Amino acid sequence: MSALSYVSGDHHSAWSTYLAQVERVVPFLGELEHWVDTLRHPKRALIVDIPLEMDDGSVRHFEGYRVQHNLSRGPGKGGVRFHPDVTLEEVMALSAWMTIKCAALNLPFGGAKGGIRVDPRQLSVKELERLTRRYTSEIGVLIGPQQDIPAPDVGTNAQVMAWMMDTYSMNVGATTTGVVTGKPVHLGGSLGRVKATGRGVFVTGCAAAAKMGLAIASSRVAVQGFGNVGSVAAELFYQHGAKVIAVQDHSGTLFNAQGIDIPALQAWQAAQGKISAFPGADNIDDSAFWLQDIDILVPAALEGQITAERAQQLTCRLVLEGANGPTLPQADDILRARNIIVIPDVICNAGGVTVSYFEWVQDFSSFYWSEEEIDQRLDTIMKHALDAVWEKAQQLNVTLRTAAYAVACERILLARKDRGLYP
């Protein structure tokens, strides 16, 4: 079945967005266009049934996925998402974006992704552990430290990765720390991993702002999503003098024209489990989030948030894509016409996979770096990647997203070309 056959027909679907992004780079591939169909088809997709005995003795069934999009440059790399809206099509798109992301950062990985359609907040800790272990066993035919390395994503964390690592290790008969990344540090995890994605958003944002002549210390910032990515990025902007005037999450939207006290908001969220009703800001209508007078927007929630309509409303100069696929293709065109620069997800939020790479390397060598060393290595790789994409964008006279795809696709398809076809 063609990968196109999986598309739901919703032109806002994540997979359709990815395919549209690939189409935009085709004219710049030269002789490598011969191999471009490779990018339009996932290498393999696994659907698994996960029967789970609940605490009350009943049995429920959940559907899980693991997709390997492309392995031409190395083993698969990509997170595992536990969310009630997870679909095969979404996981396909996320795995494809991981292919592009790893190549754009020049990491020796291909793209993969996994997920279970479940609301983890509705499960007890023991139910969540049983679900994770059964899922890991079901996808065990695909994963491995040299085959496919999962990591945390929406709805999963270091504890889930510990369960995955332990389950895989029990099944192969040896402790195999390198099968996942994002683990607890005492089980082979890396220092700096938890804040890596948010830090990468900030680092690329600062590098882009410098090229634009935009001073971070006097900038006004809005952040959508206040999870592991958005809250860290907001914290770093706050620490460097920016005013974070608007924050939005699933519970509501906060606004303070003088800037929100981000550490105080983080403490409030940790205690309340949400940002709404935070006493240091006004609660405003969700739609008003997109209308604020800002310099920098950080969409760090789910995909498809910047629609064509919202792109027309934005006042910012710079968009930093902390989420995967937050900007629809039509919105991209509008933002370019309005001279709003977008640092695409495949560069901007690649801090997590970069430190995951560091963790993977450290697991193989059993030699671990300090957090300062991790941050320095991360900052260097992120800045170099942005510089390469910025230069390519000027060379081709295209957006940074198309430039990032041009850089990444050249690397992926050259690997495909030189490896040839088997058999």
Side-chain angles (χ1 to χ4, degrees):
M1 178 183 289
S2 164
L4 292 170
S5 302
Y6 287 106
V7 176
S8 64
D10 175 6
H11 68 287
H12 287 175
S13 74
W15 182 249
S16 295
T17 296
Y18 163 73
L19 290 177
Q21 291 164 348
V22 170
E23 290 309 309
R24 294 187 178 207
V25 81
V26 171
F28 307 106
L29 293 177
E31 64 177 15
L32 291 175
E33 183 182 346
H34 175 75
W35 297 93
V36 74
D37 249 7
T38 298
L39 300 171
R40 299 187 180 112
H41 298 266
K43 181 177 178 63
R44 56 174 65 95
L46 178 65
I47 304 174
V48 297
D49 173 52
I50 307 164
L52 174 65
E53 183 175 355
M54 310 301 287
D55 290 343
D56 64 5
S58 64
V59 176
R60 293 179 60 190
H61 288 253
F62 297 89
E63 189 163 281
Y65 313 98
R66 188 68 185 176
V67 176
Q68 294 172 344
H69 175 258
N70 187 282
L71 307 180
S72 294
R73 288 173 42 83
K77 190 79 191 76
V80 174
R81 178 172 292 194
F82 289 1
H83 193 275
D85 296 331
V86 166
T87 65
L88 175 61
E89 184 181 326
E90 178 190 46
V91 175
M92 284 168 49
L94 293 168
S95 71
W97 282 321
M98 284 302 299
T99 299
I100 301 297
K101 187 180 300 183
C102 291
L105 272 289
N106 209 17
L107 304 177
F109 293 132
K113 205 76 176 186
I116 303 174
R117 189 181 305 133
V118 62
D119 185 348
R121 296 170 297 181
Q122 301 301 314
L123 301 182
S124 70
V125 172
K126 284 297 182 183
E127 288 169 340
L128 185 62
E129 179 178 356
R130 292 195 292 271
L131 180 82
T132 300
R133 290 185 181 277
R134 181 58 183 257
Y135 170 72
T136 305
S137 291
E138 293 291 345
I139 68 168
V141 294
L142 294 186
I143 63 174
Q146 296 281 17
Q147 290 82 40
D148 183 354
I149 307 106
D153 198 85
V154 176
T156 58
N157 55 22
Q159 177 61 77
V160 171
M161 293 304 107
W163 289 329
M164 291 190 72
M165 185 273 283
D166 182 71
T167 303
Y168 181 88
S169 297
M170 293 302 101
N171 288 340
V172 301
T175 298
T176 311
T177 58
V179 68
V180 298
T181 58
K183 305 178 294 295
V185 172
H186 59 274
L187 291 178
S190 177
L191 296 170
R193 174 62 182 85
V194 172
K195 293 188 174 184
T197 306
R199 182 180 180 87
V201 171
F202 174 74
V203 169
T204 53
C206 288
K211 294 177 185 293
M212 299 165 58
L214 174 62
I216 293 295
S218 61
S219 63
R220 293 161 63 85
V221 181
V223 179
Q224 186 198 38
F226 205 67
N228 194 39
V229 180
S231 66
V232 172
E235 178 185 15
L236 289 168
F237 277 112
Y238 173 87
Q239 289 175 353
H240 287 78
K243 288 184 178 180
V244 181
I245 66 165
V247 175
Q248 182 180 87
D249 78 349
H250 64 90
S251 68
T253 303
L254 300 177
F255 174 77
N256 184 333
Q258 302 307 311
I260 297 170
D261 184 332
I262 297 301
L265 179 57
Q266 289 172 325
W268 174 268
Q269 184 197 45
Q272 304 293 326
K274 59 184 181 179
I275 67 168
S276 62
F278 173 63
D282 297 324
N283 287 266
I284 61 174
D285 187 78
D286 286 346
S287 62
F289 174 83
W290 306 97
L291 305 176
Q292 301 307 316
D293 181 16
I294 55 174
D295 302 296
I296 300 172
L297 171 68
V298 182
L302 295 175
E303 55 268 8
Q305 295 300 299
I306 303 180
T307 61
E309 178 183 3
R310 287 172 176 170
Q312 291 283 13
Q313 297 172 332
L314 291 178
T315 62
C316 61
R317 295 177 58 192
L318 179 62
V319 176
L320 305 176
E321 292 189 334
N324 289 312
T327 308
L328 298 178
Q330 309 96 306
D332 255 339
D333 293 336
I334 292 169
L335 294 175
R336 185 185 189 191
R338 298 186 61 212
N339 294 316
I340 297 174
I341 292 177
V342 179
I343 309 301
D345 48 5
V346 293
I347 294 291
C348 192
N349 70 25
V353 70
T354 302
V355 176
S356 284
Y357 166 58
F358 298 160
E359 179 177 336
W360 182 69
V361 169
Q362 291 172 93
D363 283 337
F364 275 118
S365 64
S366 296
F367 180 82
Y368 296 90
W369 301 323
S370 69
E371 187 162 0
E372 183 180 6
E373 289 175 307
I374 293 289
D375 287 347
Q376 288 175 348
R377 293 171 188 268
L378 171 63
D379 293 359
T380 298
I381 287 179
M382 298 293 287
K383 289 173 183 175
H384 285 172
L386 180 66
D387 286 345
V389 169
W390 197 280
E391 182 179 342
K392 178 69 79 171
Q394 293 183 324
Q395 176 189 337
L396 300 179
N397 191 28
V398 295
T399 65
L400 291 173
R401 188 186 315 283
T402 299
Y405 272 68
V407 170
C409 291
E410 286 173 5
R411 291 170 176 164
I412 298 161
L413 298 181
L414 183 60
R416 173 72 282 166
K417 171 180 175 290
D418 287 350
R419 288 183 63 160
L421 295 178
Y422 174 86

